[in-house]
Amino acid sequence: MIRLHNVSKTYYPRRGDSAQAVHALKDVDLQIPQGRIHGVIGLSGAGKSTLIRCVNLLERPTTGIVTVDGRDLTGLSGAALNEARHGIGMIFQHFNLLTNRTVFANVALPLELMGMQRGAIRERVTPLLELVGLADKASQYPAQLSGGQKQRVAIARALASRPKVLLCDEATSALDPQTTGSILALLRDINHKLGLTILLITHEMEVVKSICHRVSLISDGRIVEEAEVGDFFTAPRTRLGRDFLNDFLKLEPPRALIERLEEAPGKRSHPVVRLAFSGDAVSTPLISRLARECGVDVSILQAKVESIQERTLGLMIAELMGPPAKTREALAYLESHDLHVEVLGHVQRDD
Ligand SMILES: Nc1ncnc2c1ncn2[C@@H]1O[C@H](COP(=O)(O)OP(=O)(O)OP(=O)(O)O)[C@@H](O)[C@H]1O
Ligand SMILES: [Mg+2]
């Protein structure tokens, strides 16, 4: 449904401006099938907004091709581009509503611009306001609404032209956690009911976890990692991915232990490991088996269970206590059992 092929975007300074050119996107490839919710996560300035704005050509890529619903948008301009954009809705962090128009008139605006008749507009707008739960607010003004309600108006407006794609740029970043939850539930509902393809930009792992099917991680204009959400939360492949995950899970060894961690194993050291269990491994008593079958004691430093979509994910930080030959055997045992093992380091034991 959405395809970015080798897309780069460079912002050049104006003539006479001594600023450097900014390479905001570099060779970005992205494919999002119809009906999927795809998240893009990255730090501030990584290029997230540039990327999403290239999808509807609010920013024109410097090089590369953007196709949406099989149409090459980069080959279009003027009226043809405008017409193609009706198939792409967009919502923003700060809602971008017109303050002097009622809720109804805000949602109606794109239809007025398309030249639709008043009766047809009413028929289109009324069910949209019902869909987003604002049927009783049609004649109110944005100033009378909460942030969550404003974003609902913006969602209804974005859906007015019956797009196949919805772009969301930090759509919940200005909202409190509870309101964020209700907006994400609405987006999930729309995705389900209308089969809408959603591309969503965020810097919050919570958003990725609760709504996305797949996620791309962007850093310095490049997509550095892409995975199904369950896989990303189990075993991110890049340093940045692990940083995002650890930040979110707040699952780290105690600081005093981190300071004592050494990279290489020593004669009397114990490995400290991060274990991620999914699937059958969650319900198998692996830790007690480890003690029984490998003769290794396990000291659990931290543990938690997360639900990620339909999957249950168990996470644990533990020290494996025993002689090196035994702990090596224990690591091999764990690795053979459908769980992801990462050795964080080794800690010397004098006792
Ligand atoms: N119109 C512009 N002119 C020049 N440089 C720009 C322009 N828009 C963005 N940039 C630069 O491009 C880079 C990527 O910016 P972008 O807004 O895409 O990042 P972002 O990931 O959305 O960040 P944030 O999380 O803060 O919104 C930054 O270095 C930014 O300063
Ligand atoms: Mg941005």
Side-chain angles (χ1 to χ4, degrees):
M1 175 57 67
I2 302 177
R3 174 135 200 256
L4 270 58
H5 182 68
N6 233 339
V7 167
S8 296
K9 172 72 189 182
T10 303
Y11 294 107
Y12 292 102
R14 284 170 210 204
R15 290 185 70 168
D17 187 337
S18 61
Q20 299 268 316
V22 177
H23 301 286
L25 290 181
K26 301 164 189 167
D27 298 325
V28 169
D29 279 304
L30 189 64
Q31 275 197 64
I32 308 174
Q34 198 236 316
R36 298 269 286 176
I37 306 182
H38 192 108
V40 174
I41 190 163
L43 298 171
S44 186
K48 303 184 295 296
S49 295
T50 304
L51 179 123
I52 208 166
R53 292 164 66 84
C54 278
V55 175
N56 57 4
L57 261 70
L58 282 180
E59 296 289 354
R60 190 167 274 278
T62 310
T63 57
I65 294 171
V66 176
T67 58
V68 175
D69 199 14
R71 253 175 121 179
D72 173 4
L73 299 190
T74 28
L76 304 179
S77 58
L81 178 58
N82 252 341
E83 201 269 320
R85 279 191 182 129
H86 294 158
I88 310 172
M90 187 165 185
I91 57 173
F92 306 87
Q93 179 175 0
H94 297 295
F95 326 123
N96 299 15
L97 300 179
L98 295 178
T99 52
N100 59 348
R101 279 188 159 233
T102 62
V103 166
F104 184 97
N106 264 285
V107 179
L109 183 65
L111 303 174
E112 286 171 21
L113 294 174
M114 285 161 72
M116 199 183 265
Q117 299 299 315
R118 280 180 61 173
I121 289 180
R122 184 159 291 280
E123 272 174 33
R124 185 76 72 88
V125 172
T126 306
L128 277 172
L129 289 177
E130 272 164 26
L131 178 72
V132 301
L134 291 180
D136 57 335
K137 305 276 184 216
S139 55
Q140 302 218 327
Y141 286 87
Q144 297 169 284
L145 303 179
S146 70
Q149 290 169 332
K150 284 181 198 166
Q151 196 59 292
R152 286 170 187 270
V153 178
I155 290 170
R157 179 183 58 186
L159 297 179
S161 60
R162 299 202 171 136
K164 294 188 170 167
V165 166
L166 181 66
L167 308 176
C168 312
D169 189 353
E170 302 275 5
T172 56
S173 297
L175 305 175
D176 62 68
Q178 205 180 337
T179 312
T180 293
S182 78
I183 293 294
L184 294 179
L186 174 61
L187 291 176
R188 211 181 294 122
D189 188 43
I190 292 167
N191 164 256
H192 201 69
K193 276 192 190 142
L194 311 177
L196 201 71
T197 308
I198 299 180
L199 172 60
L200 176 155
I201 301 296
T202 183
H203 62 270
E204 292 171 298
M205 287 284 278
E206 182 63 41
V207 173
V208 174
K209 180 194 141 184
S210 66
I211 179 174
C212 297
H213 300 122
R214 198 173 172 82
V215 62
S216 300
L217 189 62
I218 185 169
S219 169
D220 193 22
R222 284 185 202 281
I223 291 184
V224 293
E225 179 163 1
E226 188 181 316
E228 292 295 301
V229 166
D231 294 334
F232 179 68
F233 278 78
T234 312
R237 293 192 305 273
T238 57
R239 178 66 203 267
L240 183 65
R242 285 193 288 274
D243 286 350
F244 263 109
L245 187 64
N246 289 336
D247 232 36
F248 170 69
L249 296 170
K250 311 223 177 323
L251 195 72
E252 284 213 339
R255 179 147 297 283
L257 187 70
I258 293 182
E259 282 163 9
R260 292 177 48 209
L261 280 183
E262 289 170 12
E263 215 167 287
K267 263 205 191 111
R268 293 174 61 81
S269 68
H270 296 155
V272 174
V273 294
R274 177 182 174 279
L275 305 175
F277 310 67
S278 56
D280 290 344
V282 177
S283 49
T284 314
L286 283 170
I287 299 302
S288 56
R289 282 198 197 158
L290 211 60
R292 220 168 35 238
E293 293 178 24
C294 308
V296 162
D297 286 323
V298 181
S299 165
I300 297 173
L301 303 170
Q302 275 200 32
K304 63 162 59 172
V305 175
E306 285 278 338
S307 276
I308 289 149
Q309 281 147 30
E310 264 86 72
R311 279 163 77 162
T312 305
L313 179 65
L315 294 145
M316 184 183 291
I317 296 204
E319 181 179 342
L320 305 183
M321 306 172 95
K326 294 271 185 203
T327 57
R328 273 201 301 277
E329 197 184 315
L331 284 173
Y333 178 86
L334 290 171
E335 272 162 2
S336 67
H337 277 83
D338 196 19
L339 83 173
H340 187 263
V341 185
E342 185 190 348
V343 178
L344 302 174
H346 301 264
V347 60
Q348 286 293 333
R349 289 294 172 198
D350 313 317
D351 38 288

